[in-house]
Amino acid sequence: MQVGIDSFAAATLLDNGTGTTLSGAEAIAQLLERIERADQAGLDVFGIGEHHRPEYLDSATAVILAAAAARTKRIRLTSAVTVLSAADPVRVFQEFATLDLISQGRAEMVVGRGSSIEAFPLFGFNLDDYDALFTEKLELLLTIREQERVQWKGKFRPALNGQGIYPRPVQQPLPIWLGVGGTPQSFARAGTLGLPLMVAIIGGDTHRFRPLVDLYREAGRRAGYSPEQLPVGLHSLGYVAETTEQAREEFYPGYAHTFSSRARERGGLPVTRAQFDAQAGSLGALLVGNPEEVADKIRRHSEALGGITRVTFQMDVATLPHTRLLEAIDLLGTRVAPLLRS
């Protein structure tokens, strides 16, 4: 199993627990240091999200990943996710093909519709076209991946009449995963297209997603793909420390602040400690605890979902200090990953 980290490049990361908010430049510098540490610790993949909100610095994902590529040697570098509905597939392919050249064949992308809607008005798209935009743009992106010169016509973008799309990546084909939440149509679409599946489970009981993963695999089988061509990855919020008590006590305050703020935006209720403890328990989605406990929980999640090939931790939603995140990265690389690979 591959083990990795996803980050939204939080702008509110605290400086060594002092309560001092970092500048954007300092936060990006620390993020690049964490990616470099993940590479040194032997982790398999590092992903950067895409948002267009003041609390995040990841609106230009490929730029951050390119900077990381120059500082790393083996770790794979991916988006998590690219909001394809509000992007131009030609530019997305060009950016990640360039990243693939810089990294000498380590680039990937996870594409999705996105859980935040800020990109739609920002780039002049109508939210009513939410699914139609994604369907058309995913078709074009996959066509560009397969063909250097593209003949294509759609509704939301000017036609391509044989123009060449450059540069071409090192990897043939460039890996493209489909990032999904809980929509059955998204799972079925990934299977029908034979795309690797990255399932974001940030709440609830992980085993409840099994019917959706089965839907993905059955759609892929009907489309003629073998089980080996249909890998499933799991993206969850998580954090490891030497003891479970330490991990939970350090992760909870920032987690509660982040998700209570989001709940207020949507008219919901703040997060309670009891809810957090339930999610960090044996069936909940949170991967928070000591290395051995977290590895055991990931194994149970894998069994519940019928087998996963990749798991990625989202740690910086909890505004943890940089030093704590570096320590967690070391524990993931030296203690959690070996247990899962064995």
Side-chain angles (χ1 to χ4, degrees):
M1 185 187 300
Q2 294 181 333
V3 180
I5 295 171
D6 290 330
S7 172
F8 292 167
T12 54
L13 202 67
L14 301 183
D15 184 12
N16 298 321
T18 64
T20 303
T21 301
L22 300 176
S23 69
E26 291 170 324
I28 287 289
Q30 290 190 358
L31 172 60
L32 292 173
E33 184 180 348
R34 292 196 296 277
I35 301 174
E36 191 172 8
R37 179 67 68 88
D39 184 51
Q40 295 166 351
L43 292 178
D44 298 289
V45 61
F46 205 109
I48 301 293
E50 180 191 337
H51 297 83
H52 303 272
R53 298 169 59 94
E55 62 265 37
Y56 301 120
L57 303 170
D58 59 355
S59 63
T61 304
V63 177
I64 298 174
L65 293 174
R71 300 173 57 158
T72 55
K73 292 180 172 60
R74 56 168 299 278
I75 196 165
R76 299 192 67 77
L77 301 166
T78 183
S79 58
V81 303
T82 295
V83 184
L84 189 60
S85 303
D88 182 351
V90 173
R91 290 299 288 157
V92 168
F93 183 86
Q94 290 174 326
E95 289 168 358
F96 280 84
T98 304
L99 173 63
D100 204 44
L101 298 177
I102 294 171
S103 65
Q104 298 183 37
R106 293 185 283 129
E108 299 183 3
M109 68 177 89
V110 181
V111 300
R113 296 183 295 181
S115 59
S116 300
I117 62 173
E118 291 80 13
F120 288 84
L122 181 63
F123 296 109
F125 294 104
N126 190 331
L127 195 57
D128 292 338
D129 298 322
Y130 185 75
D131 191 63
L133 280 163
F134 183 73
T135 300
E136 178 178 297
K137 293 186 176 191
L138 179 59
E139 175 198 355
L140 176 55
L141 180 64
L142 296 177
T143 300
I144 295 170
R145 182 174 70 163
E146 298 301 320
Q147 301 173 16
E148 182 175 324
R149 294 188 172 275
V150 178
Q151 293 281 351
W152 178 90
K153 185 177 182 181
K155 177 181 177 182
F156 299 104
R157 189 201 186 282
L160 293 170
N161 301 302
Q163 292 98 324
I165 310 298
Y166 305 108
R168 307 307 294 181
V170 173
Q171 300 175 91
Q172 297 293 341
L174 181 69
I176 297 176
W177 295 61
L178 192 60
V180 298
T183 307
Q185 294 86 344
S186 296
F187 284 80
R189 171 163 41 207
T192 300
L193 295 172
L195 294 176
L197 185 75
M198 179 57 70
V199 187
I201 305 179
I202 61 173
D205 295 344
T206 299
H207 70 273
R208 295 184 182 275
F209 282 75
R210 177 61 181 268
L212 295 171
V213 175
D214 287 345
L215 177 64
Y216 161 70
R217 292 183 169 125
E218 176 60 18
R221 185 192 67 80
R222 290 178 179 272
Y225 296 101
S226 68
E228 293 74 22
Q229 293 174 291
L230 301 169
V232 175
L234 172 65
H235 161 95
S236 291
L237 306 180
Y239 176 65
V240 290
E242 287 290 348
T243 68
T244 293
E245 180 181 10
Q246 178 189 351
R248 293 190 181 186
E249 291 304 314
E250 290 177 352
F251 195 76
Y252 172 70
Y255 169 88
H257 172 76
T258 297
F259 284 91
S260 295
S261 297
R262 292 183 185 179
R264 283 193 297 271
E265 287 181 5
R266 301 170 183 178
L269 297 174
V271 173
T272 67
R273 180 60 191 254
Q275 291 170 330
F276 170 79
D277 287 338
Q279 285 298 299
S282 60
L283 297 179
L286 296 182
L287 303 174
V288 179
N290 68 54
E292 292 72 27
E293 181 183 12
V294 167
D296 285 342
K297 189 170 185 179
I298 292 169
R299 288 195 195 99
R300 293 196 301 272
H301 284 348
S302 179
E303 183 177 355
L305 295 175
I308 63 174
T309 62
R310 175 180 290 185
V311 60
T312 58
F313 288 72
Q314 167 59 272
M315 295 192 294
D316 62 8
V317 295
T319 63
L320 287 157
H322 178 56
T323 53
R324 289 286 185 267
L325 293 174
L326 290 175
E327 291 168 2
I329 289 169
D330 287 338
L331 289 173
L332 283 174
T334 61
R335 291 174 59 181
V336 175
L339 290 171
L340 295 173
R341 291 169 185 152
S342 65

